């Protein structure tokens, strides 16, 4: 255990004194250590058993706030930067039964968006709180007569947090409410209808740029109409009078997976995806490019980089020529380089459902069908780098192997930690209690180095890296979840 090495080396204390100090840290609920160039700090346990949801709001001045959505209660726990608990506050609202829409932290405050119903009307409001969860300001954004259900509102915000979008997908319509997150004022609100586009079934992703442009990615399935290929649609919304629809097709084959982002530095839309010859679980190539948002054609062909036989052999472990496509490859992240180039990050993910051989009956003799088990495999990560126009620059395979069962894979996969000169992929080596956390460090031309970060042995931690939050150029917070309890784990790089 790393803690043992640090205390014995620095203080040369006896074993009995060491254990006394160790248990002192356990009782106070906080421990920290310097591990292989990193400082690791762990908070006390946070009970989430009665939560509908939770969120972590970092860097609100010198506080970190843990938000509990408990249905009829909205609670906020306040911590300092070293994850020491300070106090708790409960939010006060017009009605007990509110619908939280979204919460967004800023430099010294945070905004809490919510709705509630009263006397036949639906109110959408925002409250602004300081680092002590004291109310600073509030505003009513809309008041609408409630005639029919609109569905659940969803939440998006721009990269600089200057704008917030509350949007509600219906079958044929998308209701939009764009808000100035600084002034707490509505910029506009209207409903969008796109021909042959279902905003519930076709909707894939929405991104909001700093200047307020909205980009919506949709996918229309060919499940009910085998004469048509699955196709992706991109919708750009500037305002109610400026709405454009775009479609992209590869030179050959079909698009199997697609992801979009917006490059604020160069003011360009970024797209990346995988291509397939027809089986959407397989991929034979990829693409990644950026283009000016004002120069997106209505219909455009995509430059595709096909996977070579040698590369597919490296990924699959089989001899060249044995396979023609890669299976179970999913795009996870998209990184935009300063030169407009793109790094596509994909992961090999497999799920298998198994049937138990045991027939189950209860005390009254009723029969239950055999229970199923789901095995989750999260394996190698593939990095595919292109230049801005889409031509391949480099590609790399990062080897890992994670297996879990009946946990939705929440402790698997990785967290992408971005720095100005490096990318770090942090992940659990194995999905178990006593585990080593490792990372791949990648530079701009694809050189990689694998390192050990920390050990969770005897520390009762199960880290959810997929839900980690980067709070600075050298720091992240990772939730550790076990038995309906959360520990916040802060990792600071030297």
């Amino acid at each position: 255990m790393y803690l043992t090495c640090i205390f014995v080396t620095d203080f040369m204390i006896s074993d009995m004194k060491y254990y006394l100090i160790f248990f002192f840290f356990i009782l106070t609920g906080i421990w920290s250590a310097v591990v292989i160039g990193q400082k690791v700090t762990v908070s006390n346990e946070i009970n989430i058993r009665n939560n509908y949801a939770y969120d972590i709001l970092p860097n609100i001045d010198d506080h970190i706030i843990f938000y509990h959505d408990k249905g009829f209660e909205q609670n906020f726990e306040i911590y300092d930067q070293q994850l020491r608990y300070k106090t708790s506050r409960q939010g006060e609202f017009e009605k007990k039964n509110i619908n939280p829409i979204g919460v967004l932290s800023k430099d010294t405050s945070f905004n809490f968006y919510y709705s509630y119903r009263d006397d036949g009307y639906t109110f959408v409001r925002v409250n602004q709180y300081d680092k002590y969860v004291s109310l600073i300001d509030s505003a009513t954004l809309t008041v609408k007569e409630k005639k029919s259900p609109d569905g659940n509102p969803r939440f998006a915000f721009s990269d600089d947090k200057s704008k917030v979008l509350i949007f509600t997908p219906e079958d044929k319509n998308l209701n939009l409410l764009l808000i100035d997150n600084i002034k707490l004022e509505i910029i506009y609100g209207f409903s969008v209808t796109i021909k042959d586009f279902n905003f519930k079934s076709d909707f894939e992703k929405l991104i909001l740029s700093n200047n307020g442009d909205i980009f919506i990615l949709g996918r229309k399935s060919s499940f009910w109409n085998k004469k048509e290929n699955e196709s992706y649609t991109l919708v750009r919304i500037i305002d109610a009078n400026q709405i454009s629809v775009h479609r992209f097709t590869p030179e050959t084959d079909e698009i199997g997976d697609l992801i979009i982002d917006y490059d604020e530095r160069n003011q360009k839309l970024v797209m990346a995806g995988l291509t397939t010859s027809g089986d959407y679980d397989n991929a034979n190539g990829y693409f990644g490019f950026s283009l000016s948002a004002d120069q997106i054609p209505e219909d455009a062909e995509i430059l595709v980089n096909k996977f070579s036989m040698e590369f597919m052999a490296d990924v699959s472990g089989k001899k060249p020529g044995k396979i023609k496509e890669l299976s179970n490859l999913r795009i996870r992240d998209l990184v935009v380089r300063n030169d407009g180039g793109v790094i596509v990050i994909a992961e090999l993910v497999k799920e298998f459902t198994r049937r138990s051989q045991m027939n189950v009956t209860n005390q009254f003799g009723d029969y239950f069908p055999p229970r199923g088990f789901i095995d989750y495999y999260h394996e190698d990560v593939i990095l595919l780098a292109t230049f801005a126009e889409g031509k391949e620059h480099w590609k790399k395979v990062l080897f890992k192997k994670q297996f879990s069962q009946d946990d939705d894979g929440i402790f698997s996969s990785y967290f992408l930690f971005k720095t100005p000169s490096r990318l770090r992929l942090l992940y659990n080596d194995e999905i178990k209690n006593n585990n080593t956390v490792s990372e791949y460090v990648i530079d701009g031309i694809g050189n990689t180095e694998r390192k050990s970060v920390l050990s969770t042995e005897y520390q009762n931690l199960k880290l959810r890296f997929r839900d980690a939050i980067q709070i600075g150029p050298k720091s992240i917070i990772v939730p550790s979840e076990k038995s309906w309890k959360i520990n916040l784990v802060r990792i600071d790089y030297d």
Side-chain angles (χ1 to χ4, degrees), residues 252-368:
T252 58
D253 299 325
E254 301 171 33
I255 298 176
D257 198 3
L258 183 64
I259 188 172
I260 61 173
D261 203 349
Y262 192 77
D263 178 5
E264 295 288 354
R265 177 188 293 269
N266 298 302
Q267 298 290 294
K268 290 186 176 182
L269 180 72
V270 185
M271 304 186 71
L274 303 172
T275 58
T276 177
S277 60
D279 185 343
Y280 290 94
D281 288 330
N282 297 334
N284 59 19
Y286 76 97
F287 58 89
F289 60 91
S290 59
L291 72 169
S292 172
D294 294 326
Q295 297 176 353
I296 305 175
E298 288 189 9
D299 295 281
E301 282 194 355
I302 296 172
L303 172 63
V304 175
N305 301 291
K306 287 297 186 71
F307 294 136
S308 66
M309 292 294 182
E310 292 75 17
F311 179 73
M312 289 190 287
D314 289 340
V315 175
S316 65
K318 298 180 180 180
K319 293 182 178 180
K322 289 292 184 181
I323 61 170
K324 296 182 179 179
E325 294 183 317
L326 294 176
S327 301
N328 306 301
L329 195 59
R330 298 183 186 177
I331 296 180
R332 292 298 198 189
D333 286 293
L334 181 59
V335 179
V336 183
R337 305 190 310 201
N338 290 340
D339 63 355
V342 179
I343 301 177
V344 185
I345 304 179
E347 185 178 26
L348 294 173
V349 180
K350 295 176 285 186
E351 297 180 10
F352 296 101
T353 301
R354 297 182 290 113
R355 288 287 188 180
S356 169
Q357 300 301 314
M358 183 181 299
N359 293 333
V360 181
T361 58
N362 68 10
Q363 59 179 332
F364 301 105
D366 295 328
Y367 171 76
F368 293 94

Side-chain angles (χ1 to χ4, degrees), residues 220-280:
K220 184 168 288 295
S221 174
S222 62
F223 181 80
W224 298 109
N225 188 355
K226 296 300 182 181
K227 294 181 180 180
E228 294 183 6
N229 293 327
E230 293 194 5
S231 61
Y232 283 93
T233 300
L234 176 71
V235 180
R236 184 191 182 193
I237 302 172
I238 300 176
D239 55 40
N241 299 314
Q242 299 184 79
I243 302 173
S244 56
V245 180
H246 313 268
R247 290 178 175 83
F248 296 85
T249 56
E251 295 169 326
T252 58
D253 299 325
E254 301 171 33
I255 298 176
D257 198 3
L258 183 64
I259 188 172
I260 61 173
D261 203 349
Y262 192 77
D263 178 5
E264 295 288 354
R265 177 188 293 269
N266 298 302
Q267 298 290 294
K268 290 186 176 182
L269 180 72
V270 185
M271 304 186 71
L274 303 172
T275 58
T276 177
S277 60
D279 185 343
Y280 290 94

Side-chain angles (χ1 to χ4, degrees), residues 1 13 39 75 89 128 209 225 234 240 255 280 288 302 314 354 358 409 427 431 435 473:
M1 182 177 176
I13 58 179
K39 178 183 178 183
N75 293 337
R89 296 288 298 270
Q128 185 177 87
S209 71
N225 188 355
L234 176 71
I255 298 176
Y280 290 94
I302 296 172
D314 289 340
R354 297 182 290 113
M358 183 181 299
Y427 63 96
I431 311 305
N435 170 56

Side-chain angles (χ1 to χ4, degrees), residues 379-398:
E379 298 182 341
D380 303 338
V381 175
I382 299 175
L383 277 66
L384 308 162
T386 69
F387 296 103
E389 73 278 5
K391 184 179 179 181
E392 183 176 286
H393 185 191
W394 53 264
K395 54 183 179 288
K396 185 75 67 172
V397 182
L398 308 180

Side-chain angles (χ1 to χ4, degrees), residues 103-121:
V103 57
L104 185 58
S105 62
K106 300 193 293 183
D107 292 337
T108 60
S109 63
F110 68 94
N111 291 347
F112 186 90
Y113 291 84
Y114 64 99
S115 66
Y116 67 92
R117 298 180 184 181
D118 186 29
D119 196 25
Y121 292 87

Side-chain angles (χ1 to χ4, degrees), residues 28-205:
T28 57
I30 299 205
W31 62 265
S32 65
V34 179
V35 183
I36 317 179
Q38 294 88 33
K39 178 183 178 183
V40 180
T41 308
V42 182
S43 75
N44 59 339
E45 289 183 341
I46 304 171
N47 194 322
I48 60 168
R49 180 172 294 275
N50 297 320
N51 282 27
Y52 287 179
Y54 68 84
D55 203 351
I56 303 168
L57 309 177
N59 299 339
I60 302 175
D61 202 356
D62 56 347
H63 285 174
I64 296 168
I65 296 177
F66 191 94
Y67 161 57
H68 299 261
D69 176 5
K70 295 179 177 291
F72 289 111
E73 294 182 3
Q74 313 300 319
N75 293 337
F76 302 88
E77 294 187 20
I78 302 173
Y79 293 80
D80 66 15
Q81 289 294 324
Q82 298 307 312
L83 302 181
R84 291 185 290 256
Y85 172 78
K86 296 177 72 69
T87 188
S88 296
R89 296 288 298 270
Q90 183 170 326
E92 295 183 2
F93 304 94
E94 296 80 3
K95 290 285 185 178
K96 190 172 183 179
N97 186 19
I98 68 165
N99 176 33
I101 298 175
V103 57
L104 185 58
S105 62
K106 300 193 293 183
D107 292 337
T108 60
S109 63
F110 68 94
N111 291 347
F112 186 90
Y113 291 84
Y114 64 99
S115 66
Y116 67 92
R117 298 180 184 181
D118 186 29
D119 196 25
Y121 292 87
T122 298
F123 295 77
V124 176
R125 284 182 52 84
V126 55
N127 287 353
Q128 185 177 87
Y129 298 96
D130 65 12
K131 67 178 184 179
Y132 298 104
V133 198
S134 296
L135 186 64
I136 302 173
D137 197 3
S138 64
T140 298
L141 299 171
T142 63
V143 180
K144 184 170 62 173
E145 188 175 0
K146 193 65 181 176
K147 296 180 179 179
S148 60
D150 291 333
N152 293 322
R154 302 172 69 174
F155 189 75
F157 55 90
S158 60
D159 186 61
D160 64 0
K161 300 183 181 180
S162 66
K163 296 175 180 64
V164 159
L165 181 71
I166 298 175
F167 61 100
T168 309
E170 298 177 341
D171 287 337
K172 298 298 182 181
N173 301 316
L174 181 67
N175 301 314
L176 301 173
L177 188 65
L178 185 64
I179 301 158
D180 186 320
N181 193 49
I182 310 301
K183 298 179 181 179
L184 305 185
E185 296 176 352
I186 294 177
I187 299 174
Y188 63 64
F190 61 90
S191 181
V192 178
T193 301
I194 303 295
K195 183 180 178 181
D196 298 326
F197 194 99
N198 188 307
F199 285 100
K200 279 192 174 179
S201 62
D202 300 345
F203 183 89
E204 289 274 320
K205 186 177 180 180

